[in-house]
Amino acid sequence: ARAARDLFGRCGLILALDSEGPVSGYGLEAALRLGADAVELKAAPGDVPRLADVQELAARADGWGMPLLVEMLAASWEVALEDGEENVDRVATAARIGAEAGADFLKVHYVGPPTSYRRVVGQVYVPLLVMGGPRMKSPIDALRMAEAAVAAGARGVVFGRNVVASSDPERMVAALVDVVHGGRSADEAADTLGLDARVGATR
């Protein structure tokens, strides 16, 4: 972040503080020095030491007015959870634990369908964002996940490799903005931006 901050322009900076040890002290200080807009920390429901670090970071960040994004992992980030009620319950439990640990907003897996995922959104009292997870087979798959998540009540998405590994990251971001903020369907956004909704290829 320090090396690239001059390239950010008007973009917001959420500083990821993930580390092998506690980060609530030096991590928040670094974020303040860099002028970060928020900080982020990953945790899992059964990781008691990391959840304790989340709680301490939440208290420290609140004292400085620094928002805290907690990424709660119901499975490792490399795993795309299959749709199903059991996994919906796993994600809902993880989200609730993250909210109670002090998150100002959450990043969690998406597990469909939207009618079931509303149970996850309903478990928490802070804004919920959906992670992209592993790279999907096509851009349209990522857009459809975003559409389903927003339909279920998620406030947005946090996509990494499904944007940066696409053939046109800028256009992919624009398509996601159309879906999340513009109310367009995934297929409409794909068509507008030259993505073939049938195969996910760029036209």
Side-chain angles (χ1 to χ4, degrees), residues 4-141:
R5 60 183 170 181
D6 292 339
L7 303 176
F8 294 153
R10 297 176 59 190
C11 294
L13 169 62
I14 300 177
L15 188 64
L17 301 180
D18 301 299
S19 176
E20 290 77 16
V23 298
S24 56
Y26 75 85
L28 181 60
E29 292 172 3
L32 291 167
R33 285 196 305 272
L34 288 167
D37 298 283
V39 290
E40 179 266 351
L41 195 59
K42 292 181 178 65
D47 190 342
V48 174
R50 177 48 63 91
L51 287 171
D53 201 28
V54 169
Q55 291 174 318
E56 184 171 354
L57 179 59
R60 288 174 179 256
D62 184 62
W64 285 96
M66 175 72 74
L68 171 61
L69 169 64
V70 177
E71 179 177 332
M72 286 299 298
L73 297 167
S76 69
W77 63 265
E78 299 97 336
V79 174
L81 292 175
E82 295 181 356
D83 292 348
E85 296 303 311
E86 182 178 350
N87 281 332
V88 170
D89 289 339
R90 290 175 64 192
V91 176
T93 299
R96 182 69 186 199
I97 290 171
E100 293 183 356
D104 294 300
F105 55 129
L106 291 163
K107 175 183 173 184
V108 295
H109 289 87
Y110 176 76
V111 183
T115 51
S116 295
Y117 200 74
R118 291 192 185 103
R119 196 160 71 247
V120 177
V121 178
Q123 282 283 336
V124 299
Y125 41 85
V126 296
L128 185 146
L129 308 174
V130 167
M131 69 176 73
R135 187 180 181 188
M136 299 180 195
K137 293 180 179 179
S138 69
I140 191 63
D141 291 332

Side-chain angles (χ1 to χ4, degrees), residues 143-168:
L143 293 174
R144 285 172 178 156
M145 176 196 279
E147 179 184 5
V150 171
R155 299 287 288 274
V157 297
V158 183
F159 283 5
R161 61 193 54 77
N162 283 297
V163 169
V164 298
S166 66
S167 60
D168 190 334

